[in-house]
């Protein structure tokens, strides 16, 4: 079965986005990449120079995969802490007594997604006919708005 009634699928990075394979040809998948502190699992969610793992899966298919890295403000935890004080922020996000993540579980929390991201996704990718656009124009438009192709 396919999701013929859908033109796009939007979601936070995870296995659920593999449902994109059920979209019709030329469907769009927007993968929202969670902000994760670098000291937990590295910077992979902030990279913009190469496709995400899901982007690699959808490569050479008829689907259009777009990634977008959420920033620190997407995490409603410890916003009162001075962001320039990395040690204090890390202490707030983690239980320093045993090093186990207490408050910050990126897989189990809500994200604040700016509506501008969704608006840009719709206007740049869903409402435009890209069939006659050169790839370089498509790529430039995406990069100008911090999307990852």
């Amino acid at each position: 079965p396919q999701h013929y009634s859908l033109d796009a699928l939007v979601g936070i990075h995870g296995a659920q986005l593999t449902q994109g394979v059920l979209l019709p040809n030329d469907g769009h998948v927007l993968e929202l990449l969670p902000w994760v502190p670098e000291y937990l699992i590295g910077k992979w969610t902030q990279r913009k120079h190469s496709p995400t793992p899901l982007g690699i899966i959808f490569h050479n298919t008829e689907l259009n995969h777009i990634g977008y890295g959420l920033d620190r403000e997407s995490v409603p935890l410890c916003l009162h802490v001075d962001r320039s004080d990395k040690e204090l922020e890390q202490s707030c996000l983690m239980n320093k007594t045993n090093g186990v993540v207490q408050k910050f579980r990126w897989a189990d929390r809500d994200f604040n997604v700016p509506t501008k991201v969704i608006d840009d996704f719709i206007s740049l990718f869903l409402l435009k006919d890209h069939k006659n656009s050169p790839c370089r124009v498509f790529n430039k438009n995406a990069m100008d708005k911090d999307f990852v192709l």
Side-chain angles (χ1 to χ4, degrees):
Q2 289 191 324
H3 299 308
Y4 285 117
S5 62
L6 297 178
D7 291 319
L9 181 62
V10 176
I12 294 291
H13 167 81
Q16 70 281 358
L17 290 178
T18 58
Q19 290 287 313
V21 299
L22 300 174
L23 291 171
N25 288 348
D26 292 324
H28 289 76
V29 176
L30 174 57
E31 177 183 13
L32 299 169
L33 302 165
W35 176 85
V36 179
E38 191 177 319
Y39 51 83
L40 285 180
I41 59 173
K43 287 185 170 184
W44 71 268
T45 62
Q46 284 98 37
R47 71 179 178 195
K48 294 183 175 146
H49 60 279
S50 62
T52 67
L54 189 66
I56 293 168
I57 291 170
F58 290 147
H59 186 70
N60 291 328
T61 70
E62 297 295 321
L63 293 173
N64 300 291
H65 171 268
I66 297 114
Y68 187 87
L70 297 172
D71 62 14
R72 173 64 181 93
E73 280 68 35
S74 68
V75 180
L77 300 173
C78 302
L79 289 176
H80 64 283
V81 173
D82 179 5
R83 289 176 56 190
S84 65
D85 188 341
K86 297 297 181 193
E87 189 174 313
L88 186 59
E89 182 181 58
Q90 183 172 351
S91 177
C92 182
L93 291 171
M94 297 178 70
N95 176 345
K96 291 298 277 182
T97 58
N98 60 15
V100 175
V101 178
Q102 292 288 316
K103 295 179 183 180
F104 190 88
R105 299 253 326 139
W106 72 273
D108 298 334
R109 65 181 168 78
D110 293 327
F111 294 90
N112 296 323
V113 179
T115 54
K116 176 108 176 83
V117 172
I118 304 303
D119 288 345
D120 287 345
F121 171 68
I122 291 169
S123 63
L124 284 174
F125 303 108
L126 297 182
L127 297 179
K128 291 196 176 192
D129 180 11
H130 295 287
K131 293 192 187 309
N132 298 321
S133 268
C135 283
R136 64 179 161 39
V137 172
F138 184 81
N139 289 340
K140 182 181 179 333
N141 290 341
M143 288 173 50
D144 286 349
K145 297 287 185 174
D146 291 327
F147 287 95
V148 181
L149 299 179

